[in-house]
Amino acid sequence: MLPYINAPFQYLAGVTGAPVDELKLLASFLLSYPLAGILKRVPDAKPSQKNLFTISVSLFYLIGLFDLWTGIRTLLISSVGTYAIAAYIEGPFMPWIGFIFVMGHMSINHLYRQFVNAPDNVDITGAQMVLVMKLTAFCWNVHDGRLPQKDLSEFQKARALPDLPAILDFAGYVLFFPSLFAGPSFDYVEYRRYIETSMFEVPAGTDPSKHPPTRKKRKIPRSGTPAAWKAAAGLFWIFAFLKLSSWYNKALVLGDEYMQYGFLRRVWILEMLGFTTRLKYYGVWALTEGACILSGIGYKGLDPKTGKVQWNRLQNVNPWGIESAQNTRAYLENWNINTNHWLRNYMYLRVTPKGKRPGFRASLATFVTSAFWHGFYPGYYLTFVLAAFLQTIAKNFRRHIRPFFLTPDGQHPTPYKRYYDILSYLTTQLAFCFTTAPFVLLALPDSLLVWARVYFYTIIGAAASMAFFASPAKPWLSKQLNKRNTPAMQRTASQESIREPLMGLPNDPGQDFDEVVREVRDEVERRRKESGRKTGKSVGQEVKEMLQERTGMTT
């Protein structure tokens, strides 16, 4: 750590009451803006200088600002180990070996942070979580570069790496300072196109008047205005968080004062606790995205409709989409967007054999990956499990209730649709403030205490909804919809199940389990036919035994 660098942060901590490390983290986000402006001005023809600059800034943050020597070691082990795995191991298991290596390494640090229990201190796990996304994607990109082009999807072709990058380029990718501590994550190909400036080439035939404005001979378009708007939004969210967190915090919902309020007031406080917590993430992600925009890597090309420059390549959150969400999918798909992309492209679709539709194995692998990536606090798992059931319930309501509020062709709302939307909005927001409370509280006793203080209302509602859709009411609703709606509307409803999970949460746990049962039954039948012998057991008994073997559950 640089001498005397702590002094101004200790003074500000005394004035504001905020922890020193959190003030340093905010300072690093703000300092990244002028430094990103300098990075942008490094000559386009000298990518090695860009790499050296971004590496130097990250080292300053890690050592000069936070004194994270052990953090340097952690990032070095993960990065060097992954590069070596990609370089020396070939074959289909290489990306999985890299995945196990970096996830296992991060899990050790997650457990250490959990046992130390110092949430106000900045350690390396935040940066390591971002790095895990980068490195696992890197292994898959290298693996794709070794496969024939005909075996790759368009997404894979665009990101495949036929050759390993130079070590300096790889180090610049790993230590890209605007996204070092909090993301956003991106693939190596995007970084390479950025430092080589090929990202900014305008498609042939584009009207010269619509070319993005640049300064002098630089290819990187001017991005000061969109970056400034992101910085302003980030600071607004941060200041709102600082103000509201003094009113709505963990101490309030865990203290005796909380129980002096009525039930509705307690639910409102729980809603505000969740909202206040989200404000911190809105602020951090807006600030880091703004620095990425200023550096140029946030460039996404020209909008084909308006012809204007788009700067949302690395957008990680859509606050309005979350706060106005009327269903679980809208809520989740606007949160931690880049992590959703990583889980989809580098886990969910990767465990699915080519030519087959993703099923139970893909959902389970994605769910486990998402859970382990976040850490091992019990609160995370309470949130994930309950949210998975909410996904199923929301899908049932959308498929069997919502169509009654649309015209038979599904194209227009009925006069009563507005009431359905209002009720959906309130239900979604109130259900998620309950569901995400353990994500804020982390500890199991604290999470269960707060849930009990609002009478487990979401769990009771979820259980009642699942019982309703498990009753004869569901087939009756389907029958009524078949009579009422056109075939096109029915096809639209059936297509809703063909969606990847968000944040690793399975779309329909019940359907996934049914798929396992079908797979096991088919395997039992196949083994019987191949062996040509009778076991003296019924198919049902053999299926039960195989399910117990696969899931580890006994009766």
Side-chain angles (χ1 to χ4, degrees):
M1 185 184 300
L2 294 179
Y4 309 112
I5 201 167
N6 254 1
F9 298 106
Q10 289 172 341
Y11 172 77
L12 288 174
V15 173
T16 63
V20 170
D21 274 6
E22 289 191 2
L23 291 172
K24 285 184 179 180
L25 193 61
L26 178 60
S28 73
F29 296 150
L30 296 175
L31 185 58
S32 291
Y33 279 78
L35 293 174
I38 296 173
L39 174 62
K40 186 178 182 178
R41 285 160 175 77
V42 175
D44 292 345
K46 297 182 178 180
S48 60
Q49 292 186 7
K50 295 182 181 182
N51 286 323
L52 290 171
F53 182 79
T54 192
I55 292 168
S56 300
V57 173
S58 288
L59 292 177
F60 163 71
Y61 285 165
L62 291 167
I63 300 173
L65 194 59
F66 288 104
D67 203 28
L68 285 173
W69 288 96
T70 56
I72 290 285
R73 181 185 64 194
T74 295
L75 300 184
L76 189 65
I77 290 173
S78 288
S79 303
V80 172
T82 300
Y83 193 89
I85 289 170
Y88 296 109
I89 298 178
E90 296 189 4
F93 296 111
M94 183 275 285
W96 297 113
I97 294 171
F99 171 81
I100 293 171
F101 170 70
V102 294
M103 284 290 288
H105 188 204
M106 183 179 67
S107 296
I108 294 172
N109 286 325
H110 271 319
L111 290 170
Y112 176 78
R113 178 175 174 80
Q114 187 170 338
F115 292 144
V116 170
N117 194 27
D120 290 336
N121 294 339
V122 171
D123 66 359
I124 203 60
T125 52
Q128 195 176 13
M129 290 171 73
V130 177
L131 188 60
V132 162
M133 291 192 283
K134 285 184 171 183
L135 295 180
T136 51
F138 176 80
C139 285
W140 279 111
N141 298 152
V142 172
H143 173 69
D144 291 340
R146 296 168 179 169
L147 297 176
Q149 288 284 299
K150 63 182 180 63
D151 294 340
L152 303 179
S153 66
E154 292 304 316
F155 176 88
Q156 292 171 299
K157 290 176 184 178
R159 290 160 176 77
L161 297 175
D163 302 304
L164 278 178
I167 292 178
L168 183 61
D169 291 344
F170 180 73
Y173 169 64
V174 166
L175 295 174
F176 187 66
F177 69 86
S179 63
L180 177 67
F181 288 113
S185 172
F186 46 86
D187 293 335
Y188 175 78
V189 166
E190 295 174 291
Y191 179 74
R192 184 179 67 189
R193 292 180 61 223
Y194 163 68
I195 61 172
E196 294 175 352
T197 68
S198 60
M199 174 186 289
F200 310 104
E201 294 175 358
V202 179
T206 303
D207 185 345
S209 65
K210 294 184 178 180
H211 285 207
T214 59
R215 287 188 181 276
K216 298 182 179 179
K217 295 182 179 181
R218 286 201 306 267
K219 288 186 179 180
I220 303 177
R222 296 166 60 179
S223 57
T225 299
W229 278 111
K230 280 292 177 181
L235 290 173
F236 171 79
W237 296 125
I238 291 293
F239 286 130
F241 164 74
L242 292 174
K243 181 64 176 178
L244 291 178
S245 61
S246 63
W247 299 337
Y248 304 103
N249 48 57
K250 292 192 289 186
L252 174 60
V253 296
L254 293 172
D256 296 334
E257 179 186 355
Y258 187 57
M259 292 306 294
Q260 295 177 8
Y261 301 114
F263 171 70
L264 293 179
R265 179 72 180 275
R266 294 201 299 272
V267 172
W268 167 253
I269 291 173
L270 198 61
E271 167 66 30
M272 289 304 297
L273 174 64
F275 175 69
T276 302
T277 304
R278 291 194 297 275
L279 289 176
K280 178 173 66 174
Y281 290 95
Y282 294 164
V284 168
W285 285 336
L287 288 174
T288 56
E289 184 190 353
C292 288
I293 290 173
L294 190 59
S295 73
I297 200 170
Y299 178 77
K300 198 181 178 181
L302 300 177
D303 188 314
K305 294 182 179 179
T306 65
K308 295 182 178 179
V309 178
Q310 299 178 103
W311 290 101
N312 60 342
R313 174 186 292 275
L314 299 179
Q315 182 180 7
N316 208 33
V317 68
N318 177 6
W320 175 251
I322 293 170
E323 303 305 331
S324 63
Q326 297 178 18
N327 56 70
T328 57
R329 188 165 190 87
Y331 195 102
L332 293 171
E333 71 184 0
N334 288 293
W335 175 262
N336 214 346
I337 296 170
N338 289 291
T339 300
N340 276 323
H341 291 167
W342 170 66
L343 290 169
R344 177 186 186 274
N345 294 313
Y346 297 110
M347 178 53 64
Y348 184 70
L349 296 179
R350 298 291 181 163
V351 299
T352 304
K354 186 179 179 181
K356 291 190 176 182
R357 178 179 166 182
F360 171 74
R361 291 184 180 87
S363 295
L364 180 62
T366 309
F367 177 83
V368 172
T369 299
S370 178
F372 278 26
W373 180 78
H374 281 90
F376 300 99
Y377 283 102
Y380 294 152
Y381 296 85
L382 290 177
T383 294
F384 289 148
V385 170
L386 182 53
F389 286 102
L390 293 183
Q391 282 258 77
T392 302
I393 294 165
K395 187 172 73 173
N396 278 322
F397 271 98
R398 186 172 182 83
R399 183 177 296 176
H400 297 98
I401 303 296
R402 183 175 179 270
F404 287 106
F405 296 89
L406 301 173
T407 54
D409 61 0
Q411 299 300 313
H412 303 285
T414 67
Y416 299 101
K417 176 66 161 50
R418 70 185 68 180
Y419 303 111
Y420 175 86
D421 290 343
I422 293 171
L423 185 60
S424 296
Y425 169 76
L426 292 175
T427 302
T428 298
Q429 298 297 328
L430 293 177
F432 264 95
C433 80
F434 178 94
T435 303
T436 57
F439 209 93
V440 178
L441 300 167
L442 300 179
L444 181 62
D446 293 347
S447 301
L448 295 179
L449 174 63
V450 171
W451 274 3
R453 287 181 164 186
V454 289
Y455 309 127
F456 299 98
Y457 70 86
T458 296
I459 294 176
I460 293 172
S465 298
M466 296 193 73
F468 174 78
F469 287 111
S471 72
K474 184 175 179 178
W476 182 84
L477 288 170
S478 298
K479 185 178 179 180
Q480 298 303 311
L481 288 174
N482 289 335
K483 292 179 181 178
R484 177 183 184 272
N485 294 337
T486 62
M489 178 65 173
Q490 295 166 15
R491 285 196 298 272
T492 301
S494 67
Q495 290 169 355
E496 289 183 4
S497 61
I498 311 175
R499 289 179 171 180
E500 71 278 1
L502 294 168
M503 294 307 298
L505 301 176
N507 286 323
D508 192 336
Q511 181 179 326
D512 289 340
F513 185 77
D514 290 342
E515 182 183 336
V516 175
V517 173
R518 286 194 300 270
E519 287 184 2
V520 171
R521 182 179 291 276
D522 292 343
E523 187 171 341
V524 168
E525 294 287 1
R526 181 185 60 79
R527 289 183 181 182
R528 281 191 164 196
K529 290 179 180 179
E530 289 178 354
S531 64
R533 61 184 178 83
K534 296 182 178 181
T535 62
K537 300 178 181 178
S538 66
V539 173
Q541 181 62 31
E542 291 192 36
V543 168
K544 181 179 178 181
E545 291 178 359
M546 191 172 292
L547 279 173
Q548 291 175 351
E549 176 185 337
R550 288 194 176 192
T551 64
M553 295 186 297
T554 58
T555 56

